[in-house]
Amino acid sequence: MQVVEGRRVVGTDPAAVAAWAAKYESVIVDLGTGDGRFVGRLARHCPAWAVIGVDTCGANLREVSRAAPENALFVVADALALPHGLHGLATGVSINFPWGSLLRGLLDGETTLLDGLRAVGRPGCSLTVRLNGGALSEAGWSIEAGGERVAAVLRSAGFAVGPVETMGPEQLRACPTTWAKRLAFGRDPRAIAVDAVIA
């Protein structure tokens, strides 16, 4: 498994990652973590949790990984092909404002993505997907239809899915991601959240 440590990307033994994660009461995996600030902030706010950010672009994670606390880890991997070293670790998974292949995977019900979500999660693992209107519009969906589509995809894959919830500017400001802040103060602050449980 490839892990970002400042300017270096190092191969790490999956057994070492599992041993590290076992020291914490919860393990949160953030897919498509972007600049990793969500992971860094969550790890600092919740020191009893292990927080793992996963993204295809290791260069974007250099800065945040240099100053990250011990309970944060940054993995270079594709969310549609998650490494086996993450399997069975997560008590919670988040996907915050995806775009590109990750958003398409959610909308299209990409089997490798859904299988990967089930594989990384422990029984009863929570899943939160936050979607923004602009990204859904670029993908050809209205925010309402896109949210219902993702909920339906998860439901058909065996996830226990809650109602699609609207996120207003106040909720976006409280969400510790770079994109949430941009949305909250931008021209198009439309976003929704879909919560589910991985069976």
Side-chain angles (χ1 to χ4, degrees):
M1 192 156 46
Q2 299 297 303
V3 172
V4 180
E5 296 179 353
R7 292 190 171 274
R8 302 186 307 146
V9 176
V10 298
T12 302
D13 183 359
V17 173
W20 166 81
K23 298 186 295 184
Y24 298 95
E25 64 183 36
S26 296
V27 180
I28 308 301
V29 176
D30 185 51
L31 301 181
T33 200
D35 62 14
R37 292 183 182 179
F38 174 79
V39 170
R41 289 170 182 164
L42 186 60
R44 288 186 185 87
H45 185 69
C46 302
W49 297 2
V51 190
I52 302 171
V54 179
D55 204 273
T56 55
C57 184
N60 291 345
L61 300 171
R62 289 174 183 167
E63 181 180 344
V64 71
S65 68
R66 279 200 298 266
E70 291 183 3
N71 60 322
L73 187 74
F74 299 92
V75 175
V76 180
D78 188 339
L80 275 66
L82 292 170
H84 291 283
L86 295 179
H87 288 187
L89 293 185
T91 58
V93 175
S94 57
I95 303 176
N96 292 307
F97 312 109
W99 61 285
S101 62
L102 182 50
L103 179 57
R104 288 194 303 273
L106 287 167
L107 292 167
D108 295 343
E110 179 64 47
T111 302
T112 56
L113 173 60
L114 298 171
D115 288 348
L117 289 173
R118 278 192 291 267
V120 300
R122 301 178 194 175
C125 175
S126 64
L127 169 65
T128 298
V129 180
R130 298 180 179 97
L131 304 163
N132 63 295
L136 285 168
S137 179
E138 287 183 15
W141 293 80
S142 70
I143 189 167
E144 296 83 5
E148 292 299 337
R149 170 62 180 174
V150 169
V153 163
L154 295 173
R155 200 174 289 117
S156 68
F159 295 77
V161 182
V164 177
E165 301 285 352
T166 300
M167 297 180 70
E170 185 175 339
Q171 291 167 298
L172 288 166
R173 286 193 294 270
C175 183
T177 77
T178 301
W179 269 112
K181 300 297 185 291
R182 289 179 183 172
L183 289 168
F185 295 102
R187 296 181 185 176
D188 187 9
R190 297 174 303 141
I192 54 174
V194 180
D195 289 318
V197 174
I198 300 172

